[in-house]
Amino acid sequence: MQDNKEVKTEFKPKILAFCCNWCAYAGADLAGVSRFQMPTDVRVIRVMCSGRVPPELIIRALANGLDGVMILGCHPGECHYSEGNYLTRRRAHVLKRLLSYIGIEPDRFQLGWVSAAEGAKFAAVVKETTDKITALGPNRWVDKK
Amino acid sequence: MAVPRIGVFICHCGTNIGGIVDVPQVVEYAKSLPYVAHAEANMYTCSEEGISSIKHAIKEYDLNRVVVASCTPRTHQPLFRNACADAGLNPYLFEFVNIREHCSWIHMQNRREATEKAKELVKMGVAKARWLDAQEEFESDVYPAAMVIGGGVAGMSAALNLANQGFEVHLVEKEPELGGRLLKLNRIFTINKDPRELVESIVKAVAGHSKIRLHMPAVVKAASGYIGNFDISVDEGGKEVSFKVGVIIVATGAQVLKPELYRYGELANVLTQLDLEQRLKDDKLGEFQNVVMINCVGARIPERPYCSRVCCMTAIKNAALMKEINPEAKVYVLYRDLMTYGVEFEEYYREAKGAGVRFIRYTPSNPPQVIGTEKVESVRVYDELMGMELELPCDLLVLATPLISNNDSEELSKMLKVPIGDGGFFLEAHIKLRPVEFAMDGIYVAGSCRWPADIRESIAQGYAAASEAAIPLRQGLVKVEAITATVDPKICKGCGTCALVCPFDAIELKESEIRGLEGKIVSEVNTALCKGCGLCAAACPNGAVQQRGFTDMQLLSMVNALSGKR
Amino acid sequence: MVNLTIDGKAVTAEEGTYILQVARANSIDIPTLCYHQALEPFGACRLCTVEITSRGRKRLVTSCNYPVEEGLEVSTDSEAVIKGRRMILELLLARCPNVPLIQELAKSYGIEKPRFKLEDDNCILCGLCARICEERMGVSAISFSGRGLERKIDTPFHVNSEICQGCGACAFVCPTGAIKLEDITAKEPRPILSEFNVGLNPRSAIYVPFPQAVPKVPVIDREVCIHFLTGNCRICENFCQAGAINYDQEDEIIEAEVDAIILASGFDLYDPSAVEEYGYGKVKNVITAMQYERMISASGPTEGHLERPSDGKTPKKLAFIQCVGSRDTHHKLYCSSVCCMHATKEAILANEHYPDLKAFIFYTDMRAVGKKFQEYIARAEQEYNVTYIRSRPSKITENPDNGNPIVWYEETTARTRTSMEVDMVVLCQALIPSGSTKDISDMLHLSLNDYQFVDIPDRLFHPVDTEIPGIFACGFCQAPQDIPDSVVQASAAAARAAEFLSKED
């Protein structure tokens, strides 16, 4: 009982976000400049394109015990490299199925689009994802193995 | 590789970071991280004082990696990289950690958690820094000459502009005459003049320009290389001519569709607008009393969905002209939407209406019917606005058909490795912001080969392409940030996945020439073409392809650092 | 410098500073209600209470007005401090049970329901409003009146104040929302409206013009800034850590010798209230396309939510009216060239946000001449529930019961006059050459055409050359055009200028 309560109030998820340099990372910067306040649970890794993130790396992150992973890129059709985010979108689709197959809740992985002008959206996505992952609870996959 | 000695510099940014994040605590934490040889706090790391502190520490502590935790790399990375370079450290041995935009500014109510987050971000940055490698930036000279393909108004404007700026230009035209599609027109809208006399002055200037080398009639046979460095070979009247250029402008134009609609080609008095112009030009039109023009013939239909932009104005121009030639004639224009955008087109449309040209709106679900056996006798049309069916007597039916892409576009696209989009028109780098550039550096596009355009638009695009092309020509040197892809030929299995996903055709499968691997099919990156997106690295099934500055190991070490794994 | 410890942490501070300031500078949080960086400390709310040990004696003091001393030991979270704060918050919550800020603060100290009798006040008597009015505005339009239980904030004689300058600082600093400017001032409160958000929300007198402004630095609007009007205030100066506020800055005249000039002075929006029949400014739920753009923008005043002006409701049925002032013999004869497409985009965005939203576009000719434009319109119809109606509405009226606009038009195919009631109307107004186009053209002795666009004598063969050699014009200042065409002309003007400069050599 005591334990349960503690998990509910104390659980702070650890979430990783891969942000593309041109849109999502710039959007995150704008969120900062605009002082949009948001949960502290997300850590950003900058990549040049959302398409740089291999699915293995996301699985690795979740298998390591991180509670959630996001990829945030340019909106479809607005990729700085023409088509990188389409590749990401296709991979994400397969990855979600693979995650559920290996026993990781697919919702622990989230894909989103944030433009360089969407500081508010970045904050909203961080909040939304944090809520979602918090609701899922801690990633117990490591313990299961 | 020497043992990493990492220096970590944590910025207070006044109170922007320091007011929220407990910077001294983060510094202490950084000191405890593996391979960190030195950590310090700065009031403003970007200030002169901060920069000299970095330079000093590199020497003092023999640092071979630098991590700055402050604001965003999008504004400050060049500054810190330069500081490293000034201190004799390769600038690519620098890593940025953002604890302002991504931490202190967005967690102002929660200092404790913000400090914890800043520590973790620094830990991740340090983890990545341990795997950084020194990199050299790719540099190459730009050969100070341009090739312009196409001698229409767009191509000539581009060539003339570049030549007047002092650059050598090779202008390649496949016809035996300069001027392009314009020469086939009878009159030019608004000024009602013969195009030939207008084009003449441009043609003269081009032909007589000391900086322009005209290849005519000639076609491009082969092109290879990259920005600054293209090898071109053209077939000039059966003779092969080779030359070198730094940039290429594609301005090959378009052609007019010959329709299989409204019994075109079957009945003698059915013409396209272009046919009509030819007859007027040759003075072979003869008598006419009742002229019907139909717009959007073969355009804005499921198999050719686009609007060709210029045909409405062509129809209005010729309708007005018919009225001028024979004021007694009845002239009808059957249209779907009239695309008289802007100021003059709209004015010209009003004038045509005033001159007695009748405009009738039809819908594609209820298209006009051609009546007649030997020749067109009349056209039956449902007038959408009047709400009634009309039968218009007709002794001349003129069809406005769209511009379609040239037959040789595809071949050219393959040769230059530039993409073709909808309708066979060339695809620019960005539909809004980079309309005359290809995604491939050093190649530009102008005129109707990109999208149907009228004269002034074609000329403006010709100038615009010249403007973009002049940038590398003037700089004389192209530099590429060292975040490009690399291939380890020992690991590469030659599957070609990387080449498949590369949006820039920067990867080719080739036989290796490396000793011990001779003949092995492996991927090879053309650094001049690579834009550093890293798609190939993510796609490589066995880690042979890596993106410099974003290697698998670097990204993985960040993930592991965050999740507490080594 | 003075050495002291706060929560066991050794810190140094300048003499004369207060404990609260030192703690905050060292990332130690102390809650406050009556403290304001720009005002003298007041010690009224007592929430900032801390426990100090001075010469071996422990006692509770308010940190906002207790100066630091050498060797002082401060505890911001000792049991006594927490207990004290709890009591303060419990009393405050009893006084103001409906103020969210107090509820939240109390909750964070574990108080949900006070033991005392509940009152229904919103004012916590922190005095921020009266102090800012007196100390910084130099007006003293309001102050405390009455004593003990009768103590409250008021204007003299309970009448709306004539001396109030209507600056709104009192309402702005009030932490509980108890102060309403309209209860205080005798003047009509006049918010400063954001130009960038087309008047949809207010902005401050010192402001960054828009989120991605370059350079991204604030500017002071001297027309409305209290300091420039009265010499008082200067609060922004207190808040700027970098000390960058400079009230003496003057416009600078920069002289540069150039050989070529490129004019790219852009467009303004035609005032849609001139098209009287569409009721802009009278029918509340009739807005302009630019206002709509700000609303639907994630970084706009409503954060991307459509909220109609009359009641903030999300519209379910939306009408776009094209050619408002364009192609119109009473207004502008020309076609503005971009409205068909932006209306289509806006309708698509609306449907993306609210899948059950239905949009109608009333158009004259659907001018979709750019790359992929026709396909875009087809998608709007097929996938985004957009209906195009070829008709030019004759008027827009308001349904007095619900504020819905009613669009009156001719159903062209059925040839009947009819009307459609919608939740909101978006007017796609004509675009006109910017006002500065005329100013600059006059300065450069360039002619304008009938519509005030920069005249291009040989538009056909020299599309960006003005009548004066070496002066080029591109973009909307010389003719209506969309983004790609403007970008093309911009590059073209640069090329022409480069050519012109090469000739000079």
Side-chain angles (χ1 to χ4, degrees):
Chain A
M1 186 64 203
Q2 186 64 30
D3 260 349
N4 237 345
K5 199 181 164 219
E6 218 172 76
V7 166
K8 258 190 189 146
T9 51
E10 295 293 318
F11 172 56
K12 292 282 295 170
K14 224 172 231 196
I15 301 166
L16 180 61
F18 289 99
C19 289
C20 82
N21 180 64
W22 305 99
C23 295
Y25 195 92
D29 280 356
L30 182 60
V33 173
S34 316
R35 310 293 198 280
F36 293 135
Q37 301 301 300
M38 58 189 99
T40 56
D41 313 295
V42 174
R43 316 279 181 263
V44 170
I45 293 182
R46 185 176 69 103
V47 285
M48 294 310 286
C49 178
S50 61
R52 168 62 188 100
V53 186
E56 303 94 281
L57 198 59
I58 293 158
I59 296 173
R60 172 51 53 206
L62 292 169
N64 275 359
L66 291 184
D67 299 302
V69 179
M70 287 192 265
I71 297 185
L72 301 176
C74 308
H75 284 274
E78 294 174 8
C79 178
H80 186 80
Y81 305 103
S82 313
E83 51 204 47
N85 54 0
Y86 290 136
L87 216 62
T88 312
R89 186 162 66 179
R90 269 151 57 193
R91 280 188 193 133
H93 189 66
V94 180
L95 178 62
K96 285 235 173 208
R97 292 175 55 184
L98 180 62
L99 287 174
S100 101
Y101 179 77
I102 60 175
I104 297 176
E105 296 91 331
D107 275 355
R108 292 197 183 277
F109 167 63
Q110 298 285 333
L111 175 65
W113 317 121
V114 175
S115 82
E118 292 177 335
K121 181 164 181 201
F122 180 81
V125 168
V126 164
K127 168 107 187 39
E128 220 172 89
T129 306
T130 308
D131 288 348
K132 223 180 250 177
I133 304 291
T134 308
L136 278 176
N139 180 1
R140 297 273 188 227
W141 193 78
V142 195
D143 308 341
K144 273 192 253 169
K145 289 290 121 175
Chain B
M1 193 173 75
V3 176
R5 293 181 58 80
I6 304 172
V8 184
F9 300 82
I10 310 204
C11 181
H12 274 100
C13 194
T15 56
N16 280 305
I17 296 170
I20 313 289
V21 169
D22 187 338
V23 172
Q25 205 187 112
V26 180
V27 171
E28 285 313 306
Y29 176 77
K31 283 182 182 162
S32 73
L33 293 170
Y35 300 108
V36 171
H38 170 70
E40 67 176 60
N42 312 107
M43 189 41 78
Y44 291 99
T45 312
C46 64
S47 68
E48 228 165 274
E49 211 183 317
I51 295 293
S52 67
S53 181
I54 293 178
K55 291 184 198 166
H56 172 80
I58 290 173
K59 300 225 157 74
E60 172 84 20
Y61 301 99
D62 194 20
L63 303 177
N64 56 18
R65 305 280 191 287
V66 168
V67 173
V68 171
S70 59
C71 48
T72 171
R74 300 182 79 258
T75 55
H76 281 65
Q77 178 148 291
L79 178 76
F80 295 129
R81 276 192 175 166
N82 284 342
C84 292
D86 285 350
L89 191 64
N90 182 289
Y92 287 86
L93 294 169
F94 165 78
E95 182 60 23
F96 216 118
V97 177
N98 186 337
I99 57 168
R100 192 179 73 176
E101 281 86 344
H102 293 190
C103 188
S104 67
W105 275 353
I106 57 173
H107 308 310
M108 298 171 100
Q109 316 301 337
N110 202 334
R111 294 163 189 215
R112 196 182 52 78
E113 282 181 25
T115 302
E116 286 313 307
K117 177 171 173 177
K119 282 191 209 167
E120 273 188 348
L121 290 172
V122 168
K123 184 182 182 191
M124 290 161 74
V126 167
K128 180 179 176 185
R130 181 226 179 291
W131 295 101
L132 290 176
D133 290 311
Q135 303 291 352
E136 292 311 319
E137 283 177 356
F138 174 86
E139 266 185 20
S140 116
D141 289 335
V142 175
Y143 191 84
M147 169 168 74
V148 177
I149 312 174
V153 278
M156 286 194 295
S157 304
L160 210 48
N161 184 268
L162 284 175
N164 283 342
Q165 288 193 51
F167 301 110
E168 193 188 324
V169 181
H170 294 269
L171 179 59
V172 184
E173 168 57 50
K174 67 180 170 190
E175 302 292 331
E177 189 181 17
L178 288 172
R181 194 160 43 83
L182 201 54
L183 295 176
K184 301 199 174 112
L185 302 183
N186 170 49
R187 288 290 170 88
I188 294 177
F189 136 79
T190 66
I191 48 176
N192 226 354
K193 277 194 177 157
D194 184 344
R196 189 163 288 270
E197 47 183 292
L198 290 164
V199 172
E200 201 100 323
S201 65
I202 306 180
V203 171
K204 251 192 201 148
V206 168
H209 206 293
S210 63
K211 288 274 182 188
I212 299 179
R213 169 79 212 280
L214 200 53
H215 303 271
M216 186 175 74
V219 286
V220 181
K221 276 287 149 207
S224 62
Y226 47 85
I227 180 169
N229 222 328
F230 292 104
D231 288 307
I232 309 293
S233 152
V234 300
D235 178 351
E236 197 172 335
K239 196 170 86 222
E240 192 179 308
V241 182
S242 299
F243 50 87
K244 214 172 172 58
V245 296
V247 293
I248 299 171
I249 294 174
V250 179
T252 49
Q255 54 180 330
V256 177
L257 176 79
K258 289 207 181 282
E260 290 173 2
L261 289 160
Y262 301 108
R263 299 164 78 182
Y264 178 78
E266 181 192 332
L267 304 181
N269 57 347
V270 185
L271 308 177
T272 63
Q273 292 285 1
L274 193 64
D275 296 336
L276 174 67
E277 302 220 11
Q278 192 62 48
R279 291 214 188 164
L280 285 165
K281 232 171 146 69
D282 301 344
D283 212 5
K284 278 187 186 154
L285 184 62
E287 298 279 305
F288 59 90
Q289 193 55 48
N290 297 303
V291 184
V292 177
M293 296 183 173
I294 304 178
N295 286 5
C296 294
V297 176
R300 302 173 71 197
I301 53 174
E303 56 268 44
R304 200 175 292 104
Y306 65 89
C307 158
S308 164
R309 192 172 177 119
V310 298
C311 351
C312 277
M313 282 318 301
T314 309
I316 294 173
K317 171 186 75 178
N318 285 334
L321 190 61
M322 300 310 268
K323 218 43 198 168
E324 191 187 307
I325 297 170
N326 177 5
E328 298 303 308
K330 288 204 162 63
V331 182
Y332 299 92
V333 176
L334 314 187
Y335 71 99
R336 282 172 57 189
D337 289 284
L338 267 179
M339 306 300 188
T340 52
Y341 55 97
V343 178
E344 291 109 328
F345 290 180
E346 189 67 18
E347 231 166 57
Y348 206 65
Y349 165 44
R350 275 197 308 277
E351 275 169 25
K353 272 203 289 197
V357 177
R358 291 263 322 265
F359 290 86
I360 296 170
R361 186 184 160 92
Y362 75 93
T363 54
S365 56
N366 202 353
Q369 307 278 318
V370 176
I371 315 286
T373 44
E374 301 293 299
K375 62 187 189 68
V376 183
E377 308 275 357
S378 64
V379 173
R380 200 177 287 154
V381 61
Y382 183 81
D383 184 332
E384 280 293 318
L385 301 186
M386 302 274 287
M388 60 166 80
E389 189 158 271
L390 305 171
E391 185 158 340
L392 311 169
C394 173
D395 49 39
L396 185 62
L397 179 61
V398 189
L399 308 177
T401 56
L403 289 179
I404 57 172
S405 62
N406 270 339
N407 303 332
D408 53 4
S409 289
E410 201 148 321
E411 199 184 329
L412 202 57
S413 137
K414 282 189 187 129
M415 201 188 306
L416 300 176
K417 298 191 183 115
V418 293
I420 281 188
D422 294 346
F425 295 100
F426 284 111
L427 183 65
E428 60 273 48
H430 191 288
I431 198 160
K432 300 269 178 225
L433 301 178
R434 296 171 67 194
V436 296
E437 295 163 74
F438 281 112
M440 174 86 107
D441 283 340
I443 310 185
Y444 312 88
V445 61
S448 289
C449 65
R450 171 190 160 268
W451 194 248
D454 66 12
I455 297 168
R456 53 173 195 170
E457 289 163 351
S458 298
I459 290 178
Q461 288 173 27
Y463 287 144
S467 181
E468 298 300 329
I471 296 170
L473 289 178
R474 260 185 208 286
Q475 285 172 340
L477 189 73
V478 281
K479 257 192 179 185
V480 185
E481 194 187 347
I483 51 168
T484 50
T486 59
V487 179
D488 185 338
K490 289 205 276 304
I491 308 174
C492 178
K493 294 275 184 287
C495 70
T497 309
C498 50
L500 205 67
V501 299
C502 178
F504 309 102
D505 281 324
I507 303 185
E508 261 183 297
L509 283 177
K510 275 190 179 162
E511 272 188 33
S512 176
E513 287 164 12
I514 295 168
R515 208 140 64 90
L517 299 173
E518 291 96 339
K520 185 185 176 190
I521 302 290
V522 292
S523 293
E524 203 176 289
V525 179
N526 184 338
T527 306
L529 297 179
C530 178
K531 302 249 184 179
C533 61
L535 296 187
C536 49
C540 180
N542 55 355
V545 186
Q546 293 295 337
Q547 183 186 7
R548 297 192 286 172
F550 297 91
T551 65
D552 287 346
M553 198 58 220
Q554 288 163 357
L555 295 178
L556 182 64
S557 66
M558 291 178 95
V559 169
N560 284 345
L562 178 60
S563 49
K565 302 264 159 144
R566 269 297 175 87
Chain C
M1 290 308 255
V2 177
N3 296 297
L4 66 160
T5 64
I6 303 180
D7 294 344
K9 189 173 162 183
V11 297
T12 54
E14 259 176 70
E15 213 156 322
T17 51
Y18 300 111
I19 296 174
L20 178 68
Q21 291 170 304
V22 179
R24 288 200 170 164
N26 285 282
S27 310
I28 294 162
D29 197 29
I30 297 173
T32 58
L33 279 170
C34 75
Y35 179 77
H36 191 274
Q37 214 172 312
L39 299 175
E40 289 300 317
F42 197 51
C45 74
R46 311 202 71 78
L47 201 59
C48 66
T49 299
V50 294
E51 188 171 22
I52 56 164
T53 312
S54 177
R55 291 174 222 107
R57 266 186 63 218
K58 281 188 186 216
R59 61 189 169 115
L60 294 176
V61 297
T62 45
S63 62
C64 68
N65 56 2
Y66 195 92
V68 292
E69 311 163 350
E70 184 65 35
L72 194 67
E73 284 173 39
V74 181
S75 167
T76 70
D77 54 2
S78 72
E79 212 168 298
V81 167
I82 302 294
K83 215 175 133 200
R85 275 191 205 146
R86 262 204 202 118
M87 177 54 77
I88 293 160
L89 284 166
E90 193 172 355
L91 286 164
L92 281 173
L93 187 62
R95 179 185 170 88
C96 307
N98 299 318
V99 173
L101 175 75
I102 304 294
Q103 290 167 349
E104 252 169 62
L105 264 170
K107 203 174 162 192
S108 69
Y109 280 82
I111 302 157
E112 308 243 350
K113 255 200 182 136
R115 292 165 291 175
F116 312 110
K117 188 174 150 252
L118 296 186
E119 289 169 53
D120 184 21
D121 206 330
N122 285 342
C123 177
I124 56 169
L125 299 175
C126 65
L128 280 172
C129 49
R131 285 149 59 208
I132 207 157
C133 192
E134 183 189 349
E135 285 179 35
R136 305 311 298 251
M137 302 303 154
V139 176
S140 293
I142 46 173
S143 65
F144 283 111
S145 74
R147 281 168 185 271
L149 290 174
E150 301 298 313
R151 189 167 162 90
K152 62 172 184 174
I153 290 286
D154 205 350
T155 51
F157 310 112
H158 319 298
V159 294
N160 283 22
S161 165
E162 288 290 343
I163 59 161
C164 169
Q165 57 188 2
C167 68
C170 49
F172 183 78
V173 291
C174 177
T176 63
I179 298 286
K180 301 266 178 297
L181 183 57
E182 49 271 33
D183 300 337
I184 291 167
T185 187
K187 300 190 174 74
E188 172 100 4
R190 221 160 22 94
I192 311 164
L193 296 177
S194 157
E195 291 83 1
F196 182 64
N197 287 329
V198 212
L200 288 174
N201 66 333
R203 63 157 169 83
S204 43
I206 178 164
Y207 66 112
V208 178
F210 53 95
Q212 285 171 303
V214 178
K216 200 171 183 150
V217 290
V219 292
I220 297 175
D221 181 348
R222 294 186 178 197
E223 308 281 312
V224 294
C225 169
I226 293 296
H227 176 66
F228 282 95
L229 295 174
T230 68
N232 294 317
C233 189
R234 299 178 78 113
I235 292 178
C236 48
E237 204 175 34
N238 287 66
F239 277 83
C240 179
Q241 296 162 348
I245 304 288
N246 176 1
Y247 299 108
D248 303 324
Q249 205 169 29
E250 289 292 331
D251 285 349
E252 246 181 291
I253 304 242
I254 297 169
E255 283 187 28
E257 207 163 291
V258 298
D259 292 314
I261 296 172
I262 295 175
L263 195 52
S265 46
F267 65 85
D268 282 341
L269 303 166
Y270 187 62
D271 176 11
S273 56
V275 190
E276 281 174 27
E277 57 270 31
Y278 289 159
Y280 182 74
K282 294 195 196 86
V283 182
K284 273 197 219 74
N285 292 319
V286 172
I287 64 169
T288 66
M290 196 55 101
Q291 289 178 317
Y292 178 92
E293 289 273 354
R294 293 314 304 146
M295 239 187 235
I296 201 86
S297 162
S299 54
T302 57
E303 290 173 354
H305 305 298
L306 287 185
E307 293 169 7
R308 65 178 201 168
S310 72
D311 51 14
K313 272 202 320 211
T314 299
K316 287 222 172 331
K317 208 170 168 187
L318 204 55
F320 289 85
I321 316 290
Q322 301 306 110
C323 299
V324 178
S326 301
R327 304 184 69 191
D328 186 328
T329 43
H330 301 294
H331 302 281
K332 300 291 169 191
L333 283 170
Y334 58 83
C335 160
S336 295
S337 296
V338 297
C339 339
C340 284
M341 296 318 293
H342 75 62
T344 298
K345 174 198 71 181
E346 285 153 7
I348 286 179
L349 283 177
N351 188 263
E352 274 178 349
H353 276 61
Y354 308 104
D356 58 345
L357 184 146
K358 172 84 196 136
F360 298 86
I361 298 182
F362 292 85
Y363 72 102
T364 317
D365 285 285
M366 191 34 64
R367 292 189 171 162
V369 296
K371 207 165 189 170
K372 293 212 177 183
F373 285 8
Q374 289 290 334
E375 293 88 326
Y376 196 62
I377 283 175
R379 262 179 55 209
E381 282 182 303
Q382 289 153 17
E383 295 169 32
Y384 295 97
N385 205 10
V386 178
T387 300
Y388 291 88
I389 299 174
R390 195 209 176 273
S391 187
R392 220 168 164 144
S394 56
K395 64 177 173 189
I396 295 170
T397 57
E398 187 169 37
N399 181 343
D401 299 336
N402 51 16
N404 281 353
I406 302 169
V407 181
W408 297 84
Y409 66 104
E410 188 189 41
E411 174 64 70
T412 334
T413 37
R415 305 188 51 70
T416 50
R417 285 188 54 209
T418 179
S419 70
M420 180 193 284
E421 183 168 326
V422 295
D423 299 313
M424 191 161 82
V425 168
V426 179
L427 301 181
C428 296
Q429 80 247 59
L431 306 184
I432 54 176
S434 70
S436 55
T437 300
K438 172 143 182 42
D439 301 342
I440 301 169
S441 300
D442 287 350
M443 205 185 303
L444 298 173
H445 306 292
L446 289 174
S447 325
L448 301 177
N449 68 15
D450 296 349
Y451 307 105
Q452 307 291 300
F453 290 104
V454 174
D455 191 40
I456 304 293
D458 179 10
R459 188 170 281 287
L460 220 42
F461 285 92
H462 295 95
V464 294
D465 295 18
T466 69
E467 58 194 327
I468 301 174
I471 303 184
F472 308 93
C474 58
F476 216 101
C477 73
Q478 60 127 297
Q481 52 200 298
D482 63 1
I483 297 170
D485 285 1
S486 300
V487 174
V488 162
Q489 282 203 345
S491 294
R496 290 294 286 165
E499 191 178 338
F500 183 78
L501 296 179
S502 305
K503 265 185 226 161
E504 298 284 291
D505 294 342

